[in-house]
Amino acid sequence: MDTLIKELKEEIINELNLEDLTPDDIDADAALFGDGLGLDSIDALSLIVILEKKYGLKIGNPDDGKEIFRSIRSIAEFIKANKK
Amino acid sequence: MKIFIKGIGSISPQNTIQNTLIDADIIQHHTEYLKCIEPVYKNYINPVSLRRMSRIVKMGVTAAQLCLKDANLTNTDAIITATGLGCIEDTENFLNSIIANEEKLLNPTPFIQSTHNTVGSQIAIILKCNNYNATHVHKGSSFESALMDALLLMKENEANNVLLGSSDEMTPNLFKITQRLNLWKKEPINHLKLSECKTKGSIAGEGAAFFALTNEANTSNYAVINALDVFYKPATNDAIDQRISLFLANNQLKTDEIDLVVYGINGDVKSDGIYNHLMESVFNKSTSTYYKHLCGEYHTSTSFAMWLSSIILKNQVVPNIIKLNNQPIKPINNILIYNHYLNKNHSLILLSKC
Amino acid sequence: MSSRVFVTGLGIISSIGCNIKEVMEAIYAKKSGISEITILETNYKGKIPVCEVKKLNKELAELAGVSNLNKYTRTALLGIIAAKQAVAYAGIDNIKELRTGVISATSVGGMDRSENFYQSFYKDQNKGRLRDVVNHDCSDSTEKIADILGISEYITTISTACSSSANAIMLGARLIKNNFLDRVIVGGTDALTRFTLNGFNSLMILDATGCKPFDNKRNGLTIGEGAGFLVIESEKSLKISGKKVLAELTGYGNACDAFHQTASSPEGYGAYLAMKKAIEVSGKHITEIDYINAHGTGTANNDLTEGKAIEKIFNNSIPEVSSTKAYTGHTLAASGGIEAVLSVLAIKEKIIYPNLRFTEQINELSFSPTIELLQNKEVRNVLSNSFGFGGNNTSLVFSKY
């Protein structure tokens, strides 16, 4: 799980151009959207792309992503539960 | 109504961030095209906005910030921007991604940032400015078209001040394509001696320049924008002569009252004939200058010329690097900027001392 | 200042018809232009519906009356067709007798050909036919239109994403009011491209079944192509030309949402400001607005926020509202031009367009769009909305003359 979390952090920093951050700066349980990391609807779409490209997991409707993208940990849990 | 330039900001291939152009600081580039000297953007743009911005957007937004700061303004009644080719880097990125991923699973960020109005809308978002906002995109007269819009808006009393500016970026791919179109010189040159070139092609450049226009007189203003004329595909050099005569007559000026002319000389033998003709005839008593050896050729380069003219009128100093003749420098009251892009889009901008 | 601006000519090409007659036939038959892709080269053929003009470039060139196909992008061809129609409609014989300009608009200019160039260039930087990329920039289609019509007095191009041509129309009107021009050909053009199709697809806002504007179950827009142009004239021009007035352009308002690059503010503040300003400039009272031709793209975000902004302006007396994008698709930069043409035709033909493909009112809104074609309806004033990325919002008011 910890490896997955670290990998996800790196992936997100890279894909969302969060250049100033290191994986250690992101709390796995902090909110990604709103007051936390301050991501927005466009980032949610980028996260959908990461999940499908990297982990083969498809999210058809952006609204379904809301729960999954709550935090890094919730994404990791989703991947763990669904990855074949 | 008089329209003044209250503040300016420029990011260019020279050290222009301080709104100065000093002979001792002129930069000679040794690259295929002239690239902007860019500041540390973090000092001007917050990281959340910054992370999605391509170079042109950073340049445009920062030049706008520099300009507002210079004008001592925190907001504006209108934002009017210009760009010849818009956000090329993001356009390329999205095209690359369409091809590489065979149209599947594309990151939307380069697409949403690729629209021509990105600079104008990002400035609006940062300033939370809900006012008039438009982007003009007409090749070599994009900046002039935006300036026209700004002048109209102020004459209509729709705005007491307008943030006006332009941005264009060069990328390696765009350079390659335009090189194949024979727009640039094939031989290596010293771009600082561009006016002496007698071959085909120019040197590519880029830049962003912004202006805070106001209808309020103030001793700290840079210049008055007196008049603008844009014309398309004039048939002959005579037609250009006539257009200039009419332009000056409409503004109650004689040719010898134009103290300094800024020409759009770009070192291309196919383009420079008309400038040389004007220098030797109509304006042989004026100080002749040019600017594209400093910033390169690009669609909205006249905004660099207007930035340059603003500091000349305010400081009454003409840098040696821009002079083309040795006319004794008199007090500079009127500056005429004349430029054309590939003999198609021509423009005249008349600026005066406050 | 010339105080009034009159519309004397109209031209349109879209997925529902290549001229006004064909478009009106489709309107009366309630026939949507949504179809499968047959012309655009893309992997989404048969997968994502679009509103495509079912003519090859070769056929468009015939309609445009041009022969050297190499010189023209699809964007330019569409623009030339609509602009020529507008000039013919206005019966202009001598274009140079008055100070005439062209103000056009486009979102991606000649991308329809440059993306083909780029396909080869991507593999090898020395490959790709240069004639496919020289017409890339946005001003190309404008200059092609101006050259063909013989106009050189004043020419420019606006690009503010999906509000581009509404802004071009507004600028044209202002140039007339400031006595800078007597007559202007205004509007916009955009062709379907892989670039924009994939762009909107990457935003997951293309409805796989076709757009359903203002429907509670709407699931995105349908991208389209086309062009719409108007001839607008000053009072002086009208006296000289003696043209018949189709409508008057009485109001315009441009505002910026200044909220997010793609999302509208929750209450549609920019949309509200643009509409409010346009109505103010028109000098009309809100009760005199008989029809709103909404931006109504069919995305969750747009229709809700535009609806809220309409509610805020019109309170309990909301006029007839419909989005004609269920007919034409969202033609991006051309949409403001196409919808301006339709707005003038609504006044002239005394009709209000149905909002096709609607079944269920949006939960959060207090109104439904008009779903029947209303005829013999006195349409005094139409408010036409065009909103774009970056929050560039513009509204126009056309009035019966």
Side-chain angles (χ1 to χ4, degrees), chain B residues 90-195:
Chain B
D90 272 333
T91 302
E92 287 171 10
N93 283 343
F94 198 63
L95 282 170
N96 289 340
S97 132
I98 289 174
I99 299 171
N101 299 295
E102 294 172 332
E103 302 188 54
K104 284 191 289 281
L105 288 174
L106 310 180
N107 182 336
T109 303
F111 175 69
I112 64 168
Q113 297 275 336
S114 74
T115 55
H116 291 74
N117 58 337
T118 306
V119 172
S121 57
Q122 286 297 319
I123 296 170
I125 291 168
I126 289 168
L127 298 178
K128 295 190 173 50
C129 176
N130 294 111
N131 303 327
Y132 183 89
N133 193 304
T135 300
H136 295 246
V137 293
H138 199 91
K139 250 196 302 263
S141 54
S142 305
F143 176 68
E144 288 79 352
S145 177
L147 174 57
M148 168 71 90
D149 192 353
L151 299 179
L152 285 182
L153 209 62
M154 294 180 78
K155 284 183 182 149
E156 291 161 347
N157 292 316
E158 289 289 328
N160 293 317
N161 60 68
V162 173
L163 180 63
L164 160 79
S166 76
S167 24
D168 266 309
E169 67 177 337
M170 183 48 84
T171 67
N173 282 338
L174 178 62
F175 180 74
K176 179 72 192 173
I177 295 168
T178 45
Q179 193 179 39
R180 283 176 57 193
L181 290 166
N182 292 325
L183 288 183
W184 319 122
K185 292 204 182 294
K186 295 196 166 55
E187 71 281 6
I189 56 155
N190 174 356
H191 65 88
L192 294 177
K193 296 192 165 155
L194 194 65
S195 67

Side-chain angles (χ1 to χ4, degrees), chain B residues 294-337:
Chain B
L294 303 175
C295 65
E297 178 68 289
Y298 55 99
H299 289 109
T300 52
S301 75
T302 39
S303 68
F304 182 86
M306 193 159 112
W307 172 86
L308 180 60
S309 304
S310 302
I311 55 172
I312 293 173
L313 282 167
K314 185 170 185 174
N315 304 330
Q316 292 289 309
V317 175
V318 184
N320 286 322
I321 188 78
I322 67 167
K323 286 183 198 164
L324 288 164
N325 61 3
N326 288 318
Q327 287 289 340
I329 307 275
K330 302 167 286 188
I332 298 157
N333 291 311
N334 297 305
I335 294 184
L336 179 69
I337 302 168

